Amino acid sequence: MKKKYRCGYLLLMCVLTLPVTVSGNTLEQQRADFLRAEKLIAQGNDEAFWNVSMSLKSYPLYPYLHYQWLKNNLHQTSRILRFLSEYKDTRYAGLLRSQWLSYLAQHENWHEFLQHYQASGNSTLECQFYWAKYLTGDTQLALNEAKRLWTVAKSLPKECDALTSILIKSPLFTQELIWQRFELALRKDNVQLAEYLKRLLKDQTSADVWLKIHKKPELIGSDTLWISPDQQGGHIFAHAVDRMAKTDPELAMQIWDNRKYNFAIDAQTDQRLERRLALALAFKKNKKAYDRLSRLANVDAEVREWKVRAALLEQNWQHIADALAGLTDQERLEPRWQYWQARALAKAGDVLQAQNIYNHLAEDRSFYGFLAADTVSKPYQLADKPVFLSGNALETLAEASDFKIAQELDFLGRVPEAQRQWWFAIKKLPKERLMTAAKLAQQWQWNQVAIFTLAKAEYWDDMELRFPVNYLNEVSNNAYRHNLDPAVIFGLIRQESVFDRYAESPVGARGLMQIMPKTGQQIARDLRENWQSEASLFDPNINVKYGSFYYRQLLDRFNGHFALATAAYNAGPKRVGQWLPSGETVPADIWIETIPFKETRKYVSSVLAYIMIYQERMHRKALRIKDFMLDVLPG
């Protein structure tokens, strides 16, 4: 294992330890010159920058350095074109092209813009491209594409104004088109956009009614609110039912059944709402869901799966068997449905066939495989097969320019940029080389990157790579402190952050166990510690201490029920309280399978499976999956 260097501001001390020579200059000197050249860019000292940069052409980060200068000098057309040609295969060519095209559009250099435009999924540049097409005579194409770009549920960038202005003046801009976008906006709850679009409509009365029931959908149950019975009124009525289904699906279903024949509702909308209501009942754990799902004319994978879950909610094993029979052949092969097939067969008295399925499923390294293994008293199978590296495959990949850039960025402490470069680099690799890349990331101690890269290769059997045992001291100490098995904490870390100590979620959760700052502050008070800062949650010592303490609290709150505590760690204890059965005890496997949130359902099954894997990885035998399968009592 190579030693990993991360120097940051101590670069000059760190580089002294690496006497590598590159093209006459030591790598240490090139790193120092690179940092000096970046300062010269910031100072705007172009002459000195070019003098320094001349010695860096063999340095891995030269394209990155050159890009940094060019993005500040977008008027340098010849230099930009040379860069785009010489470094066309680098990540920085695409970044520079986008910025240069924006510059050309800003300066209305449409001829050059069209000559060098490449589709990139950037809606701003796409609008500017079709505006350029319009200006250069391709008016019909521009108008058709303007219509497509305009009909979205979000506001467009201001750079699209010129293009949309010609659309609005054209025959393509109809009241029907405005209503289409109005409805799209409200489906995405973009009320501000809908309010703007209302001003473009001739029938503002209907728009006002639609906006009113969007905000208070229960109004459709009142006879005081008049909705026209035509097709437009049908859309308004259907939208209200759709909105109400989220909070009160049973009332929404009642209103839909009683009043839908009063409106002109097309077959597609009718089927969409029938599906929406049936699934909404299932998400609310309503036992009417199975019957409603069974009545759907058009079914897809989600409906087929939720029909099984709706039957499980009833604990009606004949319905469960019927719903399983409705799955496709491919779906029935999934471990999840194999397990429920065995359960249904056993309930029907076909014990031998159930045993055969359990025995086969017990070979699978998954939550359902472990459940099956416990049912037939078999040991868990990890099927550990490390990635095989032939010859010097690892060294060869590490020497590729894209990976040298990533490693050098990491050495300089620019971790986010290094990882962006990594994901760019692996886009080009076939699966076999992706596996090699995963081992390279593991060697660099990029655990999260290694795991995700191996997943892209669709290889699942390298247990050391996929389930590292990092931060063992922090985990062991806190497991002992809070009377938890270390495998439990490892399972949570593996699911929450994939061992990235600097992980940060979109909502602000931080660190290995993804602690929210407010939760961290409360835990600090509970532990009678001084709260340091949000940044302290990136410290593994603090994060694991707080995360394991919080999990212990949840475990105590739910009477030692690991499945409930694990669900609460993901979705919050209040939601889990709402998901508890109201009248009868529910087996834990059924409760987990019928968790309404897909994310939480997957989270619980993954964490519990990871705990079992870490038990095996750490050569412990204290826990089995059945220890987490206590019946769920009514709330």
Side-chain angles (χ1 to χ4, degrees), residues 20-39:
V20 181
T21 301
V22 179
S23 301
N25 289 327
T26 62
L27 185 56
E28 300 94 313
Q29 183 61 52
Q30 287 190 320
R31 286 168 175 157
D33 287 346
F34 171 81
L35 295 175
R36 186 154 62 95
E38 283 191 318
K39 288 183 179 178

Side-chain angles (χ1 to χ4, degrees), residues 57 227 313 396 408 583 604:
K57 287 190 175 181
I227 305 174
L313 285 169
T396 300
E408 195 63 21
V604 173

Side-chain angles (χ1 to χ4, degrees), residues 48 193 610 615:
L193 176 58
Y610 294 164
Q615 283 276 296

Side-chain angles (χ1 to χ4, degrees), residues 121 123 149-157 181 184-185 188 190 193:
S123 59
L149 289 165
W150 190 81
T151 316
V152 291
K154 61 183 180 181
S155 297
L156 295 171
R181 191 179 184 195
L184 284 173
K188 293 293 185 181
N190 191 342
L193 176 58

